[in-house]
């Protein structure tokens, strides 16, 4: 029998597959590859966190929790945000535990947008941002950021893209893929624009603890921002808990209530045992985070210096664990550079154009990889470039 002739979702059909996964999957079929592609810590989850999960399983933590997540976890999340950023949220109705930050992003956009609403997305941007806007019925409006300015959020550039249909600006700080950590001054200018033009700010802060130069500024902590800001965060990156799938969203109660309503009917709740692990992470794993951040910082400085010495100019990333060097000196497109580097030298990077057209001429390299492998990757990249000059 033939399937129904009626067309499938045109919105989903128009969305390309993830460019990050394309190169990761290809690298998985090869031996001896140094993978600088997927943004995942190479550290194991801290032992105390794993041990807490093991004990929770023996006690039967295999059931649903309340839709919003364990209250103890939400209380700890809100206390942590207030201690580190000075932002105040009510655990009962302004904090929602999600199955990773990816679900939080989807919930926020679906609760915010009506069909045709516009969301300004500064580029280069994380690959999920623009597709998730489209899936929620919105229209993504990309705005190019300048590498010469360290990919800072420029309120003047964003203002040029604002229309009566602008509902939100969606961005990450520190950023994936550039590692740019936005300054308090630039966030203040963006908040002033949001107040003047009346739109929301969706702030992805999953890398907030991975900040190397100065301190992280949470968007919601900027004066005037709290009432119009959605904060997305989680445990995947800072605590090396990618597979546990625990994130959270904090927002003013009217919006948080709508996100909760969608979450009730779709995900129900984040995994119970993972929430217990997240509780232990907030209680005891800060020393582990400090050690991991210090190691990432060493890798960051070595790797960016090595890229510059190869002639691949790279703005210094202020956070996360990504470098976003220019590869224009090679004479290759981003796709060709990534494909040929993988084929010839077995180093996997992500072509910059998957993060938006403004990423063309760059590649994303994750330095969440052991120092000896980063040094070997730089040597292989040097051999690759020597055949193209």
């Amino acid at each position: 029998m033939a399937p129904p002739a009626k067309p499938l979702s045109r919105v989903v059909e128009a969305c390309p597959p993830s460019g990050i996964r394309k190169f990761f999957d290809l690298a998985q079929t090869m031996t001896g590859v140094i993978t600088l592609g997927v943004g995942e810590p190479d550290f194991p989850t801290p032992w105390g966190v794993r041990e807490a999960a093991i004990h929770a399983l023996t006690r039967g933590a295999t059931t649903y929790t309340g839709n919003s997540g364990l209250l103890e976890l939400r209380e700890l999340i809100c206390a942590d945000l207030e201690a580190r950023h000075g932002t105040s949220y009510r655990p009962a109705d302004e904090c929602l535990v999600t199955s990773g930050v990816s679900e939080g992003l989807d919930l926020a956009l679906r609760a915010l947008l009506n069909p045709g609403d516009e969301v300004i997305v500064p580029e280069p941007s994380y690959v999920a941002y623009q597709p998730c806007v489209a899936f929620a019925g919105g229209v993504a409006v990309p705005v190019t950021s300048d590498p010469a300015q360290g990919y800072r959020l420029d309120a003047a550039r964003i203002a040029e893209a604002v229309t009566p249909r602008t509902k939100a600006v969606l961005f990450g700080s520190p950023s994936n893929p550039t590692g740019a950590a936005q300054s308090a001054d630039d966030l203040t200018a963006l908040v002033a624009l949001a107040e003047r033009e009346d739109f929301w700010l969706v702030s992805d802060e999953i890398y907030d603890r991975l900040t190397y130069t100065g301190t992280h500024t949470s968007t919601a902590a900027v004066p005037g921002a709290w009432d119009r800001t959605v904060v997305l965060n989680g445990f995947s990156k800072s605590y090396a808990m990618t597979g546990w799938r625990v994130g959270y969203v904090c927002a003013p109660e009217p919006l948080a209530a709508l996100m909760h309503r969608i979450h009730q009917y779709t995900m129900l709740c984040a995994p119970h045992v993972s929430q217990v692990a997240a509780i232990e992470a907030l209680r005891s794993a800060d020393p582990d985070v400090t050690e991991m951040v210090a190691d990432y910082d060493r890798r960051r400085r070595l790797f960016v210096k090595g890229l510059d010495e190869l002639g691949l100019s790279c703005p210094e990333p202020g956070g996360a664990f990504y470098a976003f060097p220019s590869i224009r000196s090679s004479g290759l497109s981003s796709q060709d550079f990534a494909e040929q580097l993988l084929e010839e030298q077995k180093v996997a990077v992500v072509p910059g154009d998957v993060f938006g057209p403004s990423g063309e001429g760059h590649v994303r390299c994750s330095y969440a990889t052991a120092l000896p492998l980063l040094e070997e990757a730089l040597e292989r990249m040097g051999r690759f470039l020597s055949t193209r000059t």
Side-chain angles (χ1 to χ4, degrees), residues 62-265:
T62 57
T63 62
Y64 294 130
T65 69
N67 293 134
S68 294
L70 296 171
L71 179 59
E72 182 181 4
L73 175 55
R74 286 178 282 137
E75 289 173 340
L76 286 169
I77 288 168
C78 293
D80 176 64
L81 292 179
E82 185 158 20
R84 292 192 298 116
H85 303 317
T87 52
S88 179
Y89 292 98
R90 296 192 302 265
D93 55 12
E94 293 174 341
C95 178
L96 173 65
V97 179
T98 59
S99 293
V101 179
S102 297
E103 191 212 352
L105 171 65
D106 181 54
L107 293 177
L109 292 172
R110 286 204 275 168
L112 277 172
L113 301 182
N114 291 307
D117 282 348
E118 295 175 352
V119 178
I120 294 173
V121 182
E123 282 190 358
S125 62
Y126 178 51
V127 293
Y129 289 170
Q130 296 191 41
C132 282
V133 170
F135 295 161
V139 177
V141 179
V143 172
T144 301
S145 302
D146 187 353
Q149 295 183 327
Y151 296 105
R152 57 183 284 260
L153 280 176
D154 187 336
R157 285 193 182 200
I158 292 171
E160 293 175 357
V162 172
T163 75
R165 295 202 67 86
T166 300
K167 179 63 76 66
V169 173
L170 166 60
F171 61 96
S173 177
S175 162
N176 177 2
T178 66
Q182 302 303 325
S183 71
D185 287 344
D186 285 336
L187 289 173
T188 298
L190 179 62
V191 170
L193 176 64
E195 289 182 296
R196 186 168 70 249
E197 299 292 346
D198 191 29
F199 57 75
W200 287 82
L201 300 169
V202 182
S203 182
D204 181 353
E205 302 183 22
I206 184 63
Y207 296 100
D208 68 338
R209 290 178 182 264
L210 307 184
T211 302
Y212 313 107
T213 55
T215 57
H216 173 76
T217 298
S218 177
T219 304
V222 175
W226 190 95
D227 289 317
R228 60 179 66 250
T229 299
V230 183
V231 173
L232 309 174
N233 210 324
F235 295 81
S236 292
K237 310 299 184 177
S238 300
Y239 292 100
M241 293 178 66
T242 52
W244 299 82
R245 308 314 302 142
V246 189
Y248 57 87
V249 186
C250 289
E253 189 275 334
L255 177 59
L258 294 187
M259 289 188 282
H260 180 270
R261 193 171 304 170
I262 302 167
H263 179 71
Q264 280 183 320
Y265 289 115

Side-chain angles (χ1 to χ4, degrees), residues 35-40 303 321-323 348-349 364-369 374:
T35 300
L36 308 179
V38 176
E40 182 168 36
F303 192 66
F321 37 56
Y322 306 108
V349 298
R364 191 194 76 173
C365 309
S366 170
Y367 50 84
T369 302
L374 290 175

